[in-house]
Amino acid sequence: MATMASVALQSCKRWEDYGQGGSESFLTLPFPSGQYWILTQTYNQGSHVDYGFEYGDDRYALDFTQSGCDAYGEAVTPLAEGIVMETATEGNGDHGYGNTVLIEHGDGYISRYGHLSEIWVSEGDYLDNTDPLGAAGNTGYSLGTACPQYPGTHLHVAFYKDGVAVKPEPISGNENLEEYCWYNREGAVNCDHNPGNYTPVDESAENSEDLDIDLMSLSPEYGTAGETPFVWVAVVDSPDEKPDATLVIHNPNDGEDYEFEMETESRESPFVFTHRKTLRDANTRYEYWVEVSNDSGKTSSPHEDIEVDESEGSVPELDDEDISPSSGEASETEFEWECRVESDDEPEVTLHIVSAQDAEIYRFTMDLDEDGNDWEAAYEKSLRDEAVYTWWITAENRDGITTSSVESVEVE
């Protein structure tokens, strides 16, 4: 952070055509990485109305806090880079906002941060979106009983264009923000419970512009603890060199982040990275993301989550997955996938194939032949691109779902 009263606002990000139906926004949730905050009041609700004074249009304001008194004294960061336009202390023309900071972002955009316990900046300071501007508090008109020591502790945020309120969306990639959901700086959201703190993302580390991650949906997207091997897939564009990819899984039960090296059979960009493993704790919502690095820098994917259920019976047994031939020509060779499934009832068997060029997982229902509790599954198709394709098979019955090992096939 530096005192730069003379810095031209042209240096700030631009939001031409911003707003409802507008272009991409650079707004980030106003608290540090590593924390989840709950949205307790959103648009046109409760006290969030247009008060009629300058920068007092609160129709699209947001209130964030944490459990109990946890939010009190926590750092608040700007929605975007900008210059501190005004600070006000409690009782000094605050209109009930208490200790307040207003930041100018350029192009007529202003953001307000209210009810702060402390202000750490001065007018004219230039702030990046990671620089703390103050601490969350309960100054001004703030009501609540969750924190008896500092009643009403929360962060009040509003965003304006030419003095008129606009929705601060998308923010950390989120639109249509929902009341009583928990959000983190990287854009993850949980509307069931507080996921808890996690290892912060190092935003000061050099990010490589040459790296791009497409984190595929987890396969399968549900499963049982200790039984379902999940397959994580990330398609990484790294034109100059093969990168390293790490899967990070956060377990809220012990508060730990677990790292797993991902593997790839791809020989050129885009690279398909995978990792396969079970998750041990039932009735737990795990958070996960992928970190990728090469010699020029590193980057991370958005955070996602999955809830793991308890076992209700015997999941299918799947083995002897195979493909014939092991290699072939694009759009000409008919590849046949085969496997055997042991299941008490008829399973649904699905072939999953990753197309690196499309950054998509394609799914095909396999044909079944029954032999008692044994089921033979098969599927035949050609592959159109000259590439190394990654594939695996899932088998699901009424008790659960399992996956095969992750394999690859070369198409020339």
Side-chain angles (χ1 to χ4, degrees):
M1 175 170 47
T3 301
M4 299 178 63
S6 61
V7 172
L9 284 177
Q10 296 87 294
S11 64
C12 296
K13 296 285 194 299
R14 294 301 194 184
W15 288 273
E16 288 92 343
D17 302 320
Y18 175 83
Q20 296 73 8
S23 60
E24 178 184 7
S25 167
F26 296 94
L27 301 181
T28 305
L29 284 160
F31 35 81
S33 177
Q35 304 173 355
Y36 275 88
W37 289 58
I38 187 171
L39 179 60
T40 58
Q41 190 175 181
T42 182
Y43 310 137
N44 296 295
Q45 294 180 344
S47 62
H48 289 178
V49 298
D50 184 358
Y51 293 108
F53 55 85
E54 188 176 22
Y55 304 118
D57 186 348
D58 272 359
R59 289 173 296 166
Y60 299 126
L62 302 170
D63 285 349
F64 290 98
T65 191
Q66 293 182 307
S67 300
C69 294
D70 290 349
Y72 191 87
E74 288 294 329
V76 174
T77 57
L79 297 180
E81 64 177 323
I83 295 173
V84 178
M85 184 179 78
E86 180 183 315
T87 64
T89 55
E90 185 171 20
N92 181 20
D94 58 32
H95 302 287
Y97 293 119
N99 295 335
T100 307
V101 173
L102 275 76
I103 296 180
E104 186 175 2
H105 305 287
D107 292 340
Y109 288 96
I110 307 290
S111 57
R112 176 192 287 278
Y113 310 81
H115 308 304
L116 303 173
S117 60
E118 298 179 73
I119 295 174
W120 298 337
V121 294
S122 302
E123 292 181 16
D125 284 352
Y126 171 83
L127 304 180
D128 195 356
N129 71 344
T130 60
D131 291 325
L133 59 87
N138 65 332
T139 55
Y141 184 63
S142 57
L143 300 177
T145 59
C147 177
Q149 188 175 1
Y150 304 107
T153 293
H154 71 280
L155 169 62
H156 177 95
V157 182
F159 195 50
Y160 314 97
K161 167 67 171 174
D162 298 327
V164 178
V166 292
K167 290 183 179 181
E169 295 181 359
I171 184 167
S172 290
N174 286 298
E175 298 190 62
N176 302 316
L177 300 175
E178 296 185 46
E179 196 175 16
Y180 302 122
C181 289
W182 293 83
Y183 292 87
N184 74 8
R185 183 177 178 88
E186 288 74 46
V189 55
N190 190 311
C191 295
D192 296 327
H193 64 275
N194 179 8
N197 290 345
Y198 60 95
T199 301
V201 175
D202 183 5
E203 297 186 57
S204 65
E206 180 183 1
N207 288 327
S208 172
E209 296 181 356
D210 295 331
L211 286 172
D212 183 62
I213 306 175
D214 280 304
L215 179 58
M216 303 290 96
S217 298
L218 191 66
S219 178
E221 297 179 1
Y222 53 89
T224 51
E227 292 179 330
T228 302
F230 295 94
V231 178
W232 285 263
V233 183
V235 176
V236 181
D237 189 10
S238 177
D240 297 331
E241 59 184 302
K242 180 179 176 180
D244 294 319
T246 302
L247 170 68
V248 185
I249 301 177
H250 175 76
N251 186 338
N253 294 324
D254 58 17
E256 294 290 334
D257 292 341
Y258 296 91
E259 297 185 354
F260 304 93
E261 182 179 352
M262 303 184 77
E263 299 179 348
T264 182
E265 295 294 331
S266 303
R267 295 186 175 87
E268 60 184 17
S269 184
F271 297 87
V272 177
F273 284 91
T274 64
H275 188 76
R276 178 178 178 267
K277 76 179 307 294
T278 60
L279 297 171
R280 70 171 185 264
D281 295 336
N283 302 318
T284 296
R285 186 172 292 276
Y286 289 85
E287 185 175 0
Y288 63 88
W289 62 97
V290 172
E291 298 176 351
V292 177
S293 63
N294 60 18
D295 289 342
S296 60
K298 68 179 184 180
T299 190
S300 298
S301 73
H303 290 215
E304 305 287 351
D305 58 61
I306 183 173
E307 186 165 4
V308 180
D309 299 325
E310 293 182 0
S311 173
E312 296 182 356
S314 177
V315 300
E317 293 185 14
L318 191 160
D319 59 15
D320 291 343
E321 69 276 3
D322 194 14
I323 184 174
S324 179
S326 58
S327 62
E329 296 182 4
S331 301
E332 294 186 8
T333 302
E334 290 292 327
F335 296 94
E336 184 173 11
W337 287 262
E338 296 180 334
C339 68
R340 186 172 69 249
V341 180
E342 183 177 336
S343 174
D344 294 337
D345 59 291
E346 182 174 349
E348 180 175 326
V349 185
T350 305
L351 170 66
H352 305 255
I353 303 177
V354 182
S355 170
Q357 305 301 324
D358 300 340
E360 292 283 350
I361 300 175
Y362 292 97
R363 297 170 173 86
F364 306 94
T365 301
M366 302 182 72
D367 300 322
L368 293 178
D369 284 329
E370 181 182 3
D371 182 13
N373 287 341
D374 286 334
W375 304 80
E376 299 288 340
Y379 192 82
E380 185 175 304
K381 77 178 307 293
S382 62
L383 300 171
R384 71 170 188 263
D385 296 325
E386 297 180 7
V388 176
Y389 283 84
T390 299
W391 62 272
W392 64 95
I393 295 171
T394 60
E396 179 178 10
N397 63 13
R398 63 191 173 199
D399 294 327
I401 187 169
T402 190
T403 63
S404 72
S405 58
V406 180
E407 306 291 344
S408 62
V409 58
E410 185 171 6
V411 179
E412 300 172 342

